Amino acid sequence: MKVAFFDTKNYDITSFEPYAKEKGIKLKFYETKLNEDTVDLAKGCFAVCAFVNDVINAEVIDRLCELGVKLLAMRCAGYNNVDINYAKGKIDIVRVPAYSPYAVAEHAMALLLTSVRRVHRAYIRTKDFNFSLNGLTGFDLHGKTVGVVGTGKIGRVFIDICRGFGMNVIAYDKFPAKDSGIDYVELNELFRRSDVISFHCPLTEDTYHIVSSETISQLKKGVVLINTSRGALIDAEALLEGIKARHIGAACLDVYEEEGDFFFEDLSGHIISDDILARLISMPNVIVTSHQAFLTNEALENIAQTTVDNIITYSKGEKSGNEINT
Ligand code: NAI
C-alpha cells in the first residue's frame, strides 16, 4: 500500500519509516507541501499524509478523488487547513487527535518562563560575556492570574502546570467541562482579569482573531499572551500595535497567522517579505518559535504510530475513532 507523504522533514522520516515498513506501508516522501500544484504526486497512492500547512481545498480534494486516493491521513490534531465541508462524502479523513498534550503545554510554559525571566536575552548576553543584569528584571508567576482559553487535553495539562507554579487559574471554554474543578468565567472577564493568557482552543469561525484591536483594549496592561494553538487566533497586525503601544507586555508565539510561507524552513540569509513577522521578531518582548511545541520524541513516536495505524485500520474497512468527517 503506497502513501504520498507531503511536507516531509528529516524527523518525519526517522519516526515514520521503521513503523510503516513493519506494517507493510510504502511511504513516498515529498519535501513539497500538498497544494493544487503538487497534488498529482499522489498518483497511484491509496492515501496521502499531510500536515498543518498543506493546503487541502476543494481543488485539491477533487483532484485527489480523480486520482483514486481514498484517504487523507492528517498527521496532526488540528485540521483548519482542510475544507471539511467540501470533503464530506468525497474523501475520508483521519487525524491524530492526541499525541502528547504534555509536549505542547510544557512548551507553552517554557515560552512563558523564558519571557518573564528574560532568559532569551540573558542567553545571548552571556554568550558574548556580557554579564550585565540591566533590563532583565522579571516577575514572579506565583500569585498571578492566568487565563486559559480552551480547556481540552492541552489546556488542562497547562492548567495543572500553572497550578504547580502557584498561579490563580481562570478559564474560558465554549463547552466547559463539568465537574472539572476549573474556574470558568466569560471570555471578556478572562481578558480583563488575566496577567497571562494562553490559547489552547481550535481555530474556528468563533475563534478567528479572538485577539483583535477591539479585544486588546480589554486586556490588562502588561498582559503576556501565549499562542501555541493556531496563528489566526491573533490578528498579528493588532498584536504589533498593542506591543508598540506598550499595552501588551509580551507575546510568546509558537504559531503565526501567515506562518505557511516561513515556518519549518531555514530562511537565514533571506529577506523576509512579511513586515509584520519581521517587526514582531525584532521586539525584545516577543518570542517566536516556529510551530515547535509538538516536537518531542514522545509526540513524534505517537504521531507516526497513530497515523500508520489509522491508515491500516481504514484499509480494512474498520473504524479507528480518529475519523473527522464520517
Ligand atoms: P482539544 O480538542 O482537546 O481541546 C480544545 C478545547 O477548545 C475544547 O475543550 C473545546 O471545547 C474548546 N473550544 C472549542 N471551541 C472553542 C471556542 N470557540 N472558544 C473556546 N474554547 C473552545 O484540543 P487539544 O488537543 O487540547 O489542542 C488544542 C489546540 O492546540 C488544537 O486545536 C491545535 O490547534 C493546537 N495544537 C498545536 C500544536 C503545536 O505544535 N503548536 C500541536 C497540537 C495542537
Side-chain angles (χ1 to χ4, degrees), residues 38-99:
T38 60
V39 60
D40 278 12
L41 292 168
K43 196 172 168 193
C45 289
F46 175 77
V48 294
C49 183
F51 197 48
V52 294
N53 288 322
D54 291 304
V55 178
I56 302 127
N57 56 18
E59 202 179 317
V60 169
I61 291 166
D62 280 341
R63 188 65 189 137
L64 287 174
C65 294
E66 283 165 22
L67 293 171
V69 174
K70 301 283 178 255
L71 180 70
L72 171 62
M74 299 301 294
R75 56 180 190 280
C76 48
Y79 47 87
N80 52 285
N81 53 330
V82 183
D83 190 336
I84 292 294
N85 290 333
Y86 192 78
K88 231 179 196 124
K90 297 189 179 69
I91 190 163
D92 293 313
I93 308 173
V94 286
R95 66 170 179 143
V96 185
Y99 37 89

Side-chain angles (χ1 to χ4, degrees), residues 135-326:
L136 298 187
T137 308
F139 63 80
D140 291 4
L141 290 180
H142 186 270
K144 296 292 184 305
T145 296
V146 56
V148 177
V149 181
T151 57
K153 291 174 284 296
I154 297 170
R156 284 191 194 211
V157 175
F158 186 71
I159 287 174
D160 286 345
I161 294 172
C162 290
R163 284 180 175 153
F165 275 80
M167 299 183 82
N168 167 37
V169 181
I170 56 176
Y172 169 75
D173 196 299
K174 194 175 175 185
F175 310 99
K178 286 197 185 85
D179 305 323
S180 57
I182 296 171
D183 182 7
Y184 285 106
V185 296
E186 287 305 317
L187 188 59
N188 53 9
E189 183 180 342
L190 181 146
F191 280 164
R192 196 164 33 78
R193 283 177 50 197
S194 300
D195 301 297
V196 174
I197 301 176
S198 194
F199 293 94
H200 301 289
C201 56
L203 175 61
T204 63
E205 273 176 22
D206 285 344
T207 60
Y208 175 79
H209 284 187
I210 198 167
V211 175
S212 62
S213 42
E214 233 170 81
T215 50
I216 286 173
S217 62
Q218 302 170 25
L219 303 177
K220 213 169 176 176
K221 190 169 164 26
V223 66
V224 180
L225 299 180
I226 310 165
N227 189 5
T228 56
S229 189
R230 285 292 180 266
L233 297 184
I234 297 183
D235 176 343
E237 205 169 346
L239 174 69
L240 180 59
E241 288 311 313
I243 286 169
K244 280 163 69 180
R246 292 165 177 74
H247 190 78
I248 292 172
C252 305
L253 310 174
D254 187 53
V255 286
Y256 173 69
E257 205 173 352
E258 303 295 337
E259 70 181 46
D261 291 339
F262 305 103
F263 282 18
F264 303 117
E265 307 301 332
D266 178 0
L267 298 176
S268 50
H270 290 250
I271 309 268
I272 295 292
S273 55
D274 187 322
D275 287 352
I276 295 177
L277 178 61
R279 188 83 169 96
L280 281 170
I281 288 174
S282 76
M283 294 287 178
N285 52 353
V286 175
I287 298 175
V288 175
T289 53
S290 47
H291 211 132
Q292 178 189 333
F294 73 101
L295 197 63
T296 64
N297 291 328
E298 293 79 0
L300 287 176
E301 197 173 308
N302 283 339
I303 290 170
Q305 294 195 356
T306 307
T307 305
V308 168
D309 290 346
N310 281 346
I311 297 169
I312 305 256
T313 307
Y314 178 82
S315 72
K316 290 181 184 159
E318 295 167 7
K319 296 265 183 224
S320 60
N322 296 333
E323 297 78 15
I324 291 178
N325 60 337
T326 50

Side-chain angles (χ1 to χ4, degrees), residues 108-124:
M109 180 47 88
L111 289 173
L112 176 59
L113 283 171
T114 302
S115 174
V116 302
R117 300 310 306 268
R118 323 289 185 232
V119 176
H120 55 307
R121 302 190 62 205
Y123 175 81
I124 292 168

